[in-house]
Every structure is written in structure tokens, then in C-alpha cells.
Amino acid sequence: MSEVVQKSKLAKQAARQMGSLTTEQKNAALLLMADSLITEQAAIIEANAKDLQRGKENGLSASLLDRLALNEGRIAAMADGLRQITELPDPIGDTLESFDRPNGLHIQKIRVPLGVIGIIYEARPNVTVDAAGLCLKTGNAVVLRGGSSALFSNEKIVEVLHGALSRSAIPMDALQLILNPDRSSVDEMLKLNGLIDVLIPRGGHSLIQNVVNNASVPVIETGAGVCHTFIDESAQLDMAIRIAVNAKAQRPSVCNSMETMLVHKAFAEQHLDALAVAFEAARVELRGDERARTLVPSMKQAEAGDWGTEYGDYILNVKIVQNLDEALTHIRTYGTMHSECIVTEHAENASVFLQEVDAAAVYHNASTRFTDGFEFGFGAEIGISTQKLHARGPMGLPALTSTKYRIYGNGQIRE
Amino acid sequence: MSEVVQKSKLAKQAARQMGSLTTEQKNAALLLMADSLITEQAAIIEANAKDLQRGKENGLSASLLDRLALNEGRIAAMADGLRQITELPDPIGDTLESFDRPNGLHIQKIRVPLGVIGIIYEARPNVTVDAAGLCLKTGNAVVLRGGSSALFSNEKIVEVLHGALSRSAIPMDALQLILNPDRSSVDEMLKLNGLIDVLIPRGGHSLIQNVVNNASVPVIETGAGVCHTFIDESAQLDMAIRIAVNAKAQRPSVCNSMETMLVHKAFAEQHLDALAVAFEAARVELRGDERARTLVPSMKQAEAGDWGTEYGDYILNVKIVQNLDEALTHIRTYGTMHSECIVTEHAENASVFLQEVDAAAVYHNASTRFTDGFEFGFGAEIGISTQKLHARGPMGLPALTSTKYRIYGNGQIRE
């Protein structure tokens, strides 16, 4: 039996006990996990140093090494994250519906855990802690398959968390880490129907597409974001600049940042200069269509492939549109149904945009950067779903649950 | 461009308009569809006769030919089904949540259509009408891929429905039927991410498994049901017989019927005879484990493979268990998480069973045959989900919807 099958079976067995734990038992376990991260931080940092050393030898980029690196501050943040999860309401056991049928049957719809959640992710070791905390709080068992570049860190972190669980009501087997760094262990997880109930990929485009295209286990697709901001004719200049620059440059590496700015022709003729100056100050490279370059000749030329590209960097496409309709058509063509914004003072245009654009989050006069579980007030986030099934947009704890019907009778049969 | 791609593109274009239709517009279209089925019933029955003729030539079984056959009564039932859908509340546009953030953002979570739903199904032509009605009522476009044995019937039905849509606000392209009977058209639908948002397979085990195992488009798995009834020591004999016989024999071909009866040892020693007599009267063949056959020697021997088999027929496995725990273990091993029942007068055992059994519907003292959208009072049913993601159990109209967040700001940016 392979490591993946063996550990998933253990997780499934543990999952059976998880659904009956009380909120207090789960919270107590999470607090022990948080404490253990702090008391064991030296060992975690030591393990992390091995990953960093190997990463340097393998020529990882500075930004990847930065994502990988742990220090006391980052470990404290991970522990705080767990403590925050304990403060969130526990959705498990909630009665979502309750009704009586004419034949006397009483039917309840109850929130239950999903069961075993598989998380496939990349270099950031904080995902290990975060995903474990969110899945366990919602009564799920979790099988983690992190990136090989963080293997020493993840192994030590899970060892520390297991130590905490051994002193709690949560069975240690509810938390599993796959150590096999080969791609074959991912391939195996994708087909583990019956042992894994749901897969959540977290990472870059190719990781997510591999999971979406090849899994037979149900998937919650997260992450890819080619987001747009449309600056309408009636937009206020200062607000448009503030929102657009924030959407692009406040943190370009994340999925809710803007990749393409669409500007109404009349607004552009007046103000594209001012926008360009603001982006230059934010060190953003602009790539314009022909009409944009006529107005601001210093822009580079946008290539055909640029419109669908998630740069995750200080690069922005700029396109001039004749009207709202042309903006909607562009978003329909190139958007990834993540986050889309209109900046306008025209109520009717805002209303049409918010109705017509098919995306997880549609904004009027606010930065797309707000698409985030914490910014929405969920207190946690396992990812941002870009699919339409099960959950859409930032996913808080309820996205990690399912339901079941309980039916109470006194001998009813169907005629 | 293949037929599947071409029709799915047309469906996707039509889907854009569908989300903005009013409930009145959609209901009016469904009523026109219902009327057209009646006025065109002669043509539908004529087309159906060609399918029946071909089916006989191809040696279809009598029960398959019966499922395929249409007559005035069945067409009237299909039309009535559409009229009933118009009476159901329209979930689209409902505000599910609405909240304000400290920074002044106002966030609404709104119900929206899924987009384009692909339905892959087998011989029954009534699914064509039923699925079309449910998907269009919820503002979705639908791509239907029915079984080749019903092709003439389905083609005529869709032609009739298109005639009705041409006089309505729903674009005709929102309803598509794939005519290519090759398996390649199914294979193509399974991979059509970006054009089809969700696939719902309806049919037998191999059809559903093909979709689940090979689709990259998100799937709602339906149907397979290896359901159990556990008769506990304290069960009332008359209630136990009534529920067990109903669960098995009222309509054995459907997924919520019982395949295995688990009987507490003490109850079996007293009453297995009486149960056997009742099943004999209902012409049910019993296949017992060794302990059951000691008590009722006339039973056949159950083979290892029988415990996981969905007979869909007048056959029932019988297993004697020592206690509730053994029953739970058996259900965990062989159940398909569909519908499971305990018959008991022992409140604590009922409570443990309803908590521990991981299934879409868990029953105390009532037949598993009630797992059904109409019996639950939903007024409609697109299928019974046996997965944990998105929807679980009987699926009414809300299961055919997604959500989106609308965020209203006045210049907010993220710090």
C-alpha cells in the first residue's frame, strides 16, 4: 500500500470520530497546536533552514526563498492564526432547515463535515498550519501534500502539531502529511474517490490546472485571477486613480490584483495621462492597446497574449473602450470570473455591470483587492473559489462543510 | 467545430441573457412549453414509435422499452411537470446575505444561475422535458445529451420546446440537444471547461462512473444507492416488517430502495421467520449470511459480491448483526452514502445511528423510499446527489444555482 493510500485510510478512519467532537474539544486542540508551534519554534526554524539551504543550492528565486522562510515573527503569526480560528463559530451540527411533512415525517438538514479534505499546495509552510486548523475546526480530517521545497519545514511542523493533538481529543490521524515528493503522490490523490471527499489545490496556475483536469475526486478550484477595473466616463478622477493603483500595485502577486485596466474613451482622452503618471510613480509598467498608446505614447504595445495573462507583477494592460458594452465583452472574453470592478458615478451603469458580469465578486467603486476572507469578515480563508459549484469567492468555515438530512418517523412507508 | 462545442457555445451565449429574465418571463415560457407538448403530442408519439421500433429490432428488454415508451398519459404528465415548476419560488436574485464592513463596504451575496448545465442521461425521454424545465426556470442554459435509443423522441420533443421558446423571452439557444449518438460526444462534454459549468449525469452505474472518473468539468454525482435498513433489538415487529418490505419492494428499481437488511441477532432469533414470510409474499428473493440461513434455511447463500450490489430488483441481502456497532461497520463498508434507516424503539440507538451514519439521508422508523425531492416537499427534483460537495440528497431548484458577491463602495482601497 502506497503512502498516499495508507495515510488517506488513516485519515478516513479518524474522520469518523471527528464529526462528533464538541466545539470545545476542537478549540482546545487548536490552542494546544498554537502553543506547541511557539514552544517548538527553534526546531521548526532549524528544519526550515535546511529547506532554505537546499533551495539556494537549487537556485530558487529570491521571492520563492522569501515565501519559504520562517522566523519567530512568522511562526507567531501562524500560531495567532490558529487562535483566531478558535474564536470563529463552529458550523458543525447547525440545523439549516427543519420541516414537517403532511405524513408526519420530521426532516432536519444538518451541517456535517465534508470528511477527508486533500490539500495540494506549494512552497509556503504557513499553509500547512492554516489548512490544518481550518479543516480540523470544521471536523474534517486533512491530507496535506505540500511542495517538495518545504518538505523539511512541513515535516517538522506536522510533527509538532501531532504532539499537540496527542494531548487533545482530536485523533492524530486526522492530520496527515504526504512525504513522498514525487509527482506520483499528487496523481494518486487526484483519483482517491472513496477515501478523499474533496480536493482543494492552492498554488500557481499549472498546479491548479493539473488538479482540475485530472482529478476524479471533486475539486474546489481556487485562485487564478485575471481581474479588471473599468473606469467609466463619469468616474471621479481621484477615486479612479486611487482604486486602480491600489488594485494593481498594493500587492501585485495575489490573485485579486488587477491585470487589465479598461478605460472609457471619453475619460481616457481627458485623464489617461494622469493615470499613467500615477502608475509610473507606483513603478508599474503599462502595456496599452493602439488607442491607449495614441494618448500616452510612452506605453509599451500590449501583445495579444497579454490580455489573458495573470502577471502577478508590476505590469498592467491598458485598453480603451467605447462604452460599457465593450468593457463587458472584454471581461467576458479574458476574465477568470474572480473579481471585477467598475468605477463610475452613473448608477445605471454600475447596476448593469454588477448584474451582467459573471464573477465571484463584482465591485462598484472599490478595489478588487478586497476579495479576501478576512476583508469580508469571515475571520479565516481556505482560498478563493473561482468555480460556481459548492462555494464561490472567499471561502470561510462553512465552505468546508456538507449537509445531511435526518428524518424522524413513526412507521411511515411510501404508498 | 464539433456539434458539442458549437451547441455549447450557443448555450453559453444564451446563458448570459438568462440571468436577467424575470420570474414571470421564465414561467410564461414554461407554460408555453407545456402547452406545445400537448398540442404536438401526435408528432411526439410518432417519433417515439420509431425509437420503439428500433429498440425492438435491437432487442431491448421489455422494461427498457417500457421506460422509453410515450403515450398521451405520459406526455400529459410531462406537461404537468412543467406547470408545477412554474409554481415553485424562483431562487434567482435572492439576497442570501447582506452585511456592512467597518470600512463602509456594503456586501451582498446573491443567488445567480450556474450558467450552462450539461445533463448526460439514458433512455427515459421525460428527463428531456424535466431537465429543460428545471434548468430554464433557474436561469440556466442546458446542453442535453440523452441516450441514443431515445434519439427520435428527444429530437422531436426539443423541436416542440424550441417552437414554444421562439414565442417566449427565453432564447431558443438556451436549450440544446446533442444529436451525435457516439460516445465521443459524451467524452467531449466531460472536458468542456469554460463552456459547460456543471455536469449532472442521470442513469445507471456505468454512465455515472464514466462521468465522475473522466470529467474535468465539475460534476454533481447522483444516483447509486446501496441502502440499508437496520432492524434493532427493540424494533416493533409490525413496523419493522412494514418499513422493510416497503423499502425493498414498493419500487425496487429506484436508487432509494433497500438492498441489504441488517437484523439484530436477538430480534432475528424471534422474528426472522415472520420477516421472511412477508418478503416471500412480496416475491422478494432473500440471500442470507450464515447466521440468517441457520434461522431461515430456505434462504439462498449471499455471495461476497452481493453486499455491495445495487440489485434494483426483487432481491434482498440479509445479514444478522450482534449489535448497533456491527450494523454501523457494515454500512460504512458497503453503503453508498445515499439513504440508511434504523428501526428501533431505543432512543439512544436511534440518536447514535443518525449521528454516526454518513449518508445523504438517515432515517429513524421510516422507509428509505422517502428520499425524493417531491416527498421532501421541494416540488421538483433534478436528481439525488450522493456526493458531499455543493448539494447532498434530493436536489430542488436551489441546487441548480450559484452565488456571487456584489460589493458597493465609495472609493475604498486596501491598506
Side-chain angles (χ1 to χ4, degrees), chain B residues 314-353:
Chain B
Y314 290 87
I315 306 171
L316 178 69
N317 303 315
V318 180
K319 182 186 168 83
I320 311 302
V321 296
Q322 292 291 337
N323 50 36
L324 174 60
D325 258 3
E326 194 182 346
L328 293 173
T329 301
H330 182 93
I331 291 170
R332 203 150 47 224
T333 309
Y334 296 104
T336 54
M337 305 201 298
H338 191 299
S339 298
E340 308 289 353
C341 169
I342 182 171
V343 183
T344 189
E345 295 300 307
H346 192 292
E348 172 64 15
N349 282 4
S351 168
V352 169
F353 188 91

Side-chain angles (χ1 to χ4, degrees), chain B residues 84-122:
Chain B
Q84 282 165 24
I85 295 171
T86 66
E87 285 160 25
L88 298 174
D90 180 357
I92 300 303
D94 284 357
T95 302
L96 301 179
E97 294 169 30
S98 177
F99 50 98
D100 293 293
R101 299 294 303 151
N103 61 7
L105 286 180
H106 177 66
I107 303 182
Q108 295 177 341
K109 186 177 187 178
I110 308 285
R111 261 203 206 283
V112 298
L114 283 167
V116 178
I117 300 177
I119 313 266
I120 297 174
Y121 58 107
E122 290 176 325

Side-chain angles (χ1 to χ4, degrees), chain B residues 59-89:
Chain B
L60 284 194
S61 71
S63 80
L64 280 178
L65 286 171
D66 177 60
R67 288 190 196 189
L68 184 54
L70 292 178
N71 53 37
E72 292 196 3
R74 286 186 176 183
I75 291 174
M78 284 156 46
D80 278 349
L82 289 174
R83 293 195 185 101
Q84 282 165 24
I85 295 171
T86 66
E87 285 160 25
L88 298 174

